[in-house]
Structures are given as structure tokens and as C-alpha cells.
Amino acid sequence: MIFDLHNDFPTAIDKTRFNAYASACEGKVTAAIWTSEFDTVDAETRVADILGALSGLNEPIAIEDIGFLGENERYEIFDFSKFFYCSLTWNHNNRFAGGALDDGDLTKIGRRAIRRMNCACAVDLAHLNKKSFFAALDVAKHPICSHTGFNSHPRSLDGDQIKALVMRNAPIGLCAVAKFTDAYTAAELADVMDGFVQSYGIDRLCLGTDFNGSVDLPKDLKSYDDLYRVADRLNKLGYRQKDIDNIFYGNAMRFYEEIQYERHL
């Protein structure tokens, strides 16, 4: 079983294939609606259309980049409760916060948007720069970093950020994107996981593949069918099946269930 914290399939494949794609993963795939390239004028309509197409699936749904809600303060009336998590930005600054490749900070309306999300969904910190990351972390009730790496790339997390997330019991999804991990094979990605566990423990590490969001993937890890290679390497490193199951599924599932429980209080 797997629980992928981030897969961009809703904006990468035809809607008629949603059911087949999600059912093939043998677990939960977070359907991330990547809005960054949408025209702001019709972005909310396009999100609603995709949401409708996903409605028959029993999968978590997320928004990557709520920037389109900055116009006319749409975030004030937007229904965040339909989503597992939402992120404030993509890689660049918007009205809410500074993106990973820019130098902006969390803005006043960004703080207000997080407070609205706090009542309905988790707040994804994956695409923030370090300054806006810590500012958003301070406001977010349920922080998550859905898909990231651990090298020196601006989209990756450094040790201070990882420690802060672990202290907040926030799940961290390791992506399969090579430029964020320096992992060019499935075995090397498992080694990255092992390095994380040795430094920060196993309880917050999850999968956040970023499948359908990048082509910069390990040569032998192109789909969920290839994840057995990561598991095999972890097994050779001495990981018990229970530990592998927690990384692949259990850690993310516990967080997801916590969000679902609070929604129904």
C-alpha cells in the first residue's frame, strides 16, 4: 500500500482517465490540482470542473498554489474544506507569500488565508522560500510539506526546516525529482530516506512523488510499479516491513485521518 502526498495527475492527464489512474496505485494518491499555469480569470472555474471530475474517487484532493484566489479577496469565501491541503504559492511570489525561487515574505492576506485554511484543511509549505516558510509555519495549525527534497536546491528543505516540521508533527513527502534529491536511481532515493531517518527519525517521512509534475525522475522509478525497488533497498539497509509500510503509507494516513476527524467535530 502507498499514500502519495502529491501527484499532479488532475492537470496532466485527460479527465476520462482519472478513475483508472487512481485505482492503479493500490493505495491513496493525493490528486494535486496545479493551478500555476491557469489563467487567473477562469482558474476558479477550472478548479471546480476538475473537482467535479474527481468527485467519484475516494482520494484526497489538494490545490498547489492558491494564487488565483488573491484577486478580489476570493480566498475569503472559497470552500477550503473540499481539500486535504492547499499551498499558498508555486515557485514565485504572489499576493499571499514568497515562492521558493523568489524572496517575498508571508503577506497580511497570506496570514488571513492560512487562518481560513486552519478551519478546513492542512497548509502545504512545499513551495515557499525559507523566510515565508517559517512565517507560514508559525500561523498554520496543520502544516505539511507535501513534496520536497533535502539537498541545496531552493525547493528543498534544509536541516532547520526539517527540524521545525518534525517538532510540529508535520508529514514530509520526499519527492522523486532528482534535482531536489540527487538520487538518480530508486536505490539512491532509498538512501536519501535512510539519511533522513538517521537524522530525524522515521515518524514524519512520507512519499510525495510529484509524479506527473516532473520528468526529472530516477531512471528506474517512473511509476508506482517501480516503488518495490525503493522498498528492496530499504530492506537491505535493515528496515523492517513495518517501517517501510509507515514511510510508504502509515505516516501520511495518520495525518490525513487527523484532518478528517477534525472536520467532523
Side-chain angles (χ1 to χ4, degrees):
M1 291 284 285
I2 66 99
F3 192 133
D4 188 355
L5 288 177
H6 193 91
N7 185 316
D8 288 297
F9 78 84
T11 45
I13 68 174
D14 187 87
K15 288 182 290 186
T16 61
R17 296 171 53 208
F18 284 0
N19 280 284
Y21 187 89
S23 63
C25 83
E26 297 185 359
K28 286 196 173 295
V29 177
T30 304
I33 304 173
W34 183 26
T35 70
S36 305
E37 296 185 355
F38 290 175
D39 188 315
T40 303
V41 174
D42 67 352
E44 197 167 347
T45 300
R46 292 187 66 181
V47 168
D49 181 50
I50 293 171
L51 196 62
L54 292 167
S55 63
L57 302 180
N58 185 29
E59 306 295 338
I61 303 172
I63 293 181
E64 182 173 15
D65 185 4
I66 64 164
F68 66 97
L69 295 174
E71 296 296 320
N72 301 315
E73 316 303 314
R74 291 295 300 170
Y75 71 93
E76 292 280 11
I77 59 173
F78 188 74
D79 186 2
F80 289 106
S81 69
K82 297 180 184 296
F83 304 95
F84 173 25
Y85 65 74
C86 296
S87 70
L88 296 171
T89 71
W90 187 53
N91 284 332
H92 304 289
N93 298 342
N94 62 21
R95 292 194 66 200
F96 296 107
L101 304 185
D102 260 322
D103 62 355
D105 203 346
L106 183 68
T107 66
K108 288 182 179 179
I109 71 165
R111 291 178 185 275
R112 291 200 291 269
I114 290 175
R115 292 189 180 103
R116 281 195 48 78
M117 283 188 273
N118 282 343
C119 300
C121 69
V123 178
D124 186 20
L125 310 181
H127 274 279
L128 299 176
N129 63 46
K130 192 169 182 179
K131 180 167 53 176
S132 56
F133 170 97
F134 280 106
L137 180 63
D138 189 52
V139 184
K141 181 179 181 181
H142 294 294
I144 180 176
C145 192
S146 67
H147 59 304
T148 189
F150 309 134
N151 65 8
S152 60
H153 193 282
R155 263 284 285 114
S156 295
L157 299 176
D158 66 18
D160 291 339
Q161 291 170 296
I162 295 171
K163 289 175 184 176
L165 288 168
V166 170
M167 287 290 291
R168 291 289 309 276
N169 298 321
I172 301 170
L174 177 62
C175 69
V177 180
K179 64 184 174 183
F180 306 150
T181 64
D182 298 324
Y184 297 94
T185 66
E188 289 176 352
L189 190 67
D191 290 342
V192 173
M193 292 179 175
D194 181 53
F196 179 100
V197 171
Q198 299 307 317
S199 296
Y200 308 105
I202 199 169
D203 293 340
R204 306 300 158 214
L205 182 60
C206 307
L207 295 177
T209 63
D210 204 22
F211 285 162
N212 292 294
S214 176
V215 296
D216 182 28
L217 303 173
K219 60 184 180 181
D220 57 350
L221 181 56
K222 303 296 186 183
S223 72
Y224 296 115
D225 290 340
D226 297 327
L227 282 172
Y228 77 90
R229 296 188 173 98
V230 178
D232 286 350
R233 174 60 177 169
L234 290 173
N235 184 260
K236 290 176 182 177
L237 290 171
Y239 285 76
R240 300 171 299 171
Q241 187 60 49
K242 180 181 178 181
D243 297 327
I244 297 171
D245 289 344
N246 276 330
I247 295 170
F248 277 32
Y249 181 82
N251 293 340
M253 190 64 191
R254 284 190 293 275
F255 181 80
Y256 178 66
E257 288 176 342
E258 179 182 348
I259 300 296
Q260 295 295 93
Y261 175 76
E262 288 207 5
R263 281 177 178 165
H264 293 93
L265 285 177

